[in-house]
Amino acid sequence: MEEKRDLLQVGQSGDYEKYMVMPSSVVDAVEGVQSEFITHYGKDSDGGFADAEDEEHTQTIGIGGRQYEYVPWGGDNMLPYHVQTLIGKNMVTSQCQNFNTLTCYGQGLQFFNRGTEDRASDPEIRNFCLHNSLHLQFWEQATDMKYYFFSVLVITLSRDGSKIVQMRHQDACHCRFSPKNKKGKREYVIVANWRHTPPKTAKVFPLLDEVDPLGDLMVRLGREPDPDTGKKSAGTSDRSFAIRCYVPTIGHQVYPMPYYYSIFLDAWYDIYRLIGTGKRYMIKNTAAPRWQVEIHRNYWNNVCNEEGITDPEKRKERIKKERQNITEFCTKPENAGKAWITSYDTVLEGKETRMVRIYALGADKKEGGDWSEDMGEASNSLCFAMGVHPNMVGATPGKSQMNNSGSDKRELFNLKQALEKPWHDVMSVPYHVLMHFNVWDEKYDIHVPMIEMTTLDKNKEFDIKSDNNESDNN
């Protein structure tokens, strides 16, 4: 939709009033410069990030007639949603997270015959994978791990507790954990959409021990003695349990602080955003030819007098219409190449007195090229913080931007895939529990095959490499 433009008086010289053809939004905002700046350029991105977590600061929620205590995520409990918004508003960070998620996924989690590279063909395993969409679960895991450095999977046992029959991923942004009990363990996780206060629906799942989820499960079911008492329990009636996988960070926080959060606490995220916003408004306001119009103060009266308009209100309307006519003559594409004839007089001194003069300002100047180098610097800084080489996601395209060769890109990609090994080890924990509990580990292993780029002389573009997440190394 074309933005309306209007004449804005910018000064006066003798008998002439000086006008600029400006967007109507700018004309309306002359008296509200400060509020307009905040609206267009926004606030700094570091708001909402707590300097440190305080587990003493807890909140409660009523679920099923019982009160549950939990540790809020950030000062207002909205930090994960705040991060989602910030990442989504920046094309560099958004694409970097997409790239990180895809490289972490690799070839997806797969079951193999133990000691071979053959895919498992056991009907029970294949049915389990099909009914639980394990590839989708693993992709969701990879997304949460890259965004929040932890993920939560809920396992469900059969009625007799003999087999794990279901696995469901829970969105990390919706998860809130209980404070530690007297034994130093977190007892449960609450899953709800915390954007609503209070949440419309919420579910509570017992949380298995983060270090030894399988052992904790066996104790809860009464199959193994409790290490604290040395006795077996009668066994819980619960059949659903949550397992949390997390990336270790300093202080073992309730909700890890991913290292890339530094882009919000630092200045580079805001610098990138401000440059983009500034360039947009510069181009928007100067893309069309800019005009300065000088109008003699008697011109308006002459227009009305020639048409015989004497009523004061009608004269105001006619002057307003004439202003619009001048604006449209300067800005409308259909008026290109047309001429406008106006009168002028010559005083006794020989000086011309024109009624209207129109000057084109900066017609040959191309706007919007400012800050290009700063934009590239900010983009590279964001990619650095996200752990992605700029050339891998096209953040700095072009030969002049140190665009690497094919060999360099291949090595960068292989290096990126190799760095996903620790993430796969952590993300595989729930599947190790599945393998051991269902007694599949005697014949089968779980691997996360990765993509490795090769050279063209090998007659193929990539190999599949496994990082061998064997169950014995859980």
Side-chain angles (χ1 to χ4, degrees):
M1 182 178 180
E2 183 180 357
E3 184 173 8
K4 295 183 178 179
R5 294 176 179 267
D6 199 357
L7 291 178
L8 176 65
Q9 186 171 354
V10 294
Q12 185 167 340
S13 177
D15 293 335
Y16 289 95
E17 299 170 346
K18 294 186 177 181
Y19 294 84
M20 292 287 290
V21 179
M22 302 287 287
S24 299
S25 60
V26 176
V27 178
D28 296 338
V30 169
E31 297 180 356
V33 176
Q34 185 64 28
S35 60
E36 190 78 2
F37 179 87
I38 295 176
T39 301
H40 291 330
Y41 291 94
K43 299 180 180 179
D44 291 344
S45 61
D46 58 358
F49 290 85
D51 294 332
E53 284 188 339
D54 181 10
E55 281 201 55
E56 299 298 328
H57 172 57
T58 61
Q59 298 178 4
T60 58
I61 180 176
I63 304 175
R66 177 184 171 186
Q67 293 295 315
Y68 290 89
E69 190 177 14
Y70 67 92
V71 180
W73 195 343
D76 58 357
N77 199 32
M78 295 291 118
L79 183 57
Y81 307 118
H82 182 51
V83 170
Q84 282 184 30
T85 301
L86 292 175
I87 291 293
K89 283 186 175 181
N90 187 297
M91 65 177 181
V92 176
T93 56
S94 182
Q95 183 57 33
C96 282
Q97 283 295 58
N98 180 48
F99 181 77
N100 281 331
T101 300
L102 293 176
T103 53
C104 183
Y105 180 84
Q107 286 290 301
L109 185 110
Q110 299 176 14
F111 293 82
F112 289 85
N113 295 326
R114 179 175 289 277
T116 71
E117 295 185 1
D118 299 327
R119 296 283 298 274
S121 57
D122 189 309
E124 185 179 3
I125 294 179
R126 295 174 66 86
N127 286 335
F128 183 90
C129 294
L130 178 62
H131 291 307
N132 291 279
S133 299
L134 282 196
H135 286 96
L136 177 61
Q137 305 274 0
F138 192 73
W139 197 349
E140 290 177 332
Q141 261 193 292
T143 302
D144 277 347
M145 292 294 286
K146 291 301 182 180
Y147 267 80
Y148 304 116
F149 275 31
F150 78 90
S151 64
V152 175
L153 277 175
V154 171
I155 59 173
T156 301
L157 279 59
S158 58
R159 291 186 178 182
D160 60 1
S162 61
K163 295 282 186 179
I164 296 176
V165 295
Q166 187 181 87
M167 298 185 74
R168 291 292 183 268
H169 172 267
Q170 307 296 318
D171 288 331
C173 60
H174 295 336
C175 294
R176 300 296 183 272
F177 298 97
S178 66
K180 291 182 178 179
N181 57 21
K182 295 180 179 179
K183 296 182 179 180
K185 296 182 179 181
R186 306 189 189 283
E187 298 179 359
Y188 52 83
V189 57
I190 303 173
V191 182
N193 187 346
W194 303 93
R195 291 188 180 95
H196 304 285
T197 306
K200 296 180 179 179
T201 58
K203 296 180 180 180
V204 182
F205 299 101
L207 183 63
L208 296 178
D209 184 80
E210 295 178 342
V211 177
D212 184 16
L214 178 62
D216 190 13
L217 178 61
M218 300 298 280
V219 170
R220 291 172 185 253
L221 295 175
R223 297 186 183 182
E224 293 182 0
D226 188 334
D228 295 330
T229 63
K231 298 179 180 180
K232 292 184 179 180
S233 66
T236 179
S237 60
D238 293 329
R239 287 296 179 262
S240 293
F241 303 90
I243 301 176
R244 181 167 88 145
C245 310
Y246 66 92
V247 175
T249 54
I250 297 297
H252 192 68
Q253 299 158 317
V254 184
Y255 308 100
M257 288 285 286
Y259 300 111
Y260 78 86
Y261 278 13
S262 58
I263 63 174
F264 307 128
L265 304 176
D266 200 354
W268 285 109
Y269 180 90
D270 292 325
I271 290 173
Y272 184 94
R273 176 175 54 84
L274 291 172
I275 291 174
T277 303
K279 287 171 72 73
R280 178 177 66 183
Y281 280 95
M282 177 185 295
I283 296 173
K284 184 177 181 180
N285 292 330
T286 61
R290 292 174 294 171
W291 304 94
Q292 177 178 307
V293 183
E294 292 184 0
I295 303 176
H296 196 280
R297 62 183 179 179
N298 293 331
Y299 176 76
W300 310 113
N301 292 328
N302 292 344
V303 170
C304 295
N305 293 338
E306 289 178 1
E307 298 183 8
I309 302 175
T310 58
D311 183 82
E313 294 299 325
K314 292 183 177 180
R315 289 175 74 91
K316 290 181 181 180
E317 291 296 323
R318 182 62 183 89
I319 292 174
K320 182 178 179 181
K321 181 180 179 181
E322 186 65 17
R323 287 164 58 98
Q324 186 62 31
N325 291 340
I326 296 174
T327 302
E328 292 183 357
F329 177 80
C330 295
T331 59
K332 290 290 185 180
E334 57 266 24
N335 293 326
K338 293 184 179 180
W340 185 18
I341 301 175
T342 61
S343 62
Y344 71 93
D345 295 329
T346 304
V347 296
L348 295 178
E349 294 82 1
K351 182 179 180 181
E352 295 180 356
T353 303
R354 300 178 182 273
M355 291 291 101
V356 179
R357 299 190 202 186
I358 300 176
Y359 303 93
L361 303 177
D364 298 329
K365 183 180 179 182
K366 182 180 179 181
E367 299 289 352
D370 306 290
W371 309 315
S372 293
E373 293 183 0
D374 303 285
M375 195 77 162
E377 183 183 15
S379 176
N380 288 341
S381 298
L382 294 177
C383 289
F384 171 76
M386 304 293 288
V388 178
H389 195 283
N391 293 150
M392 298 301 295
V393 293
T396 54
K399 294 181 179 179
S400 62
Q401 300 295 328
M402 298 178 63
N403 208 345
N404 300 90
S405 65
S407 298
D408 292 334
K409 287 186 174 67
R410 182 176 64 251
E411 294 304 318
L412 286 171
F413 183 82
N414 291 341
L415 176 61
K416 179 66 175 178
Q417 283 277 279
L419 292 175
E420 300 299 336
K421 176 65 165 61
W423 298 78
H424 293 164
D425 289 343
V426 172
M427 295 165 62
S428 298
V429 170
Y431 306 100
H432 289 313
V433 174
L434 168 68
M435 294 286 289
H436 282 275
F437 194 86
N438 285 4
V439 199
W440 294 342
D441 59 306
E442 296 179 357
K443 297 181 180 179
Y444 308 104
D445 294 329
I446 52 172
H447 300 166
V448 183
M450 296 182 294
I451 301 173
E452 181 180 355
M453 293 294 181
T454 63
T455 56
L456 296 178
D457 58 2
K458 293 186 179 181
N459 299 320
K460 53 184 178 179
E461 295 182 356
F462 62 85
D463 287 331
I464 305 299
K465 298 292 185 180
S466 173
D467 54 3
N468 294 322
N469 289 296
E470 296 187 3
S471 301
D472 292 341
N473 296 325
N474 182 18

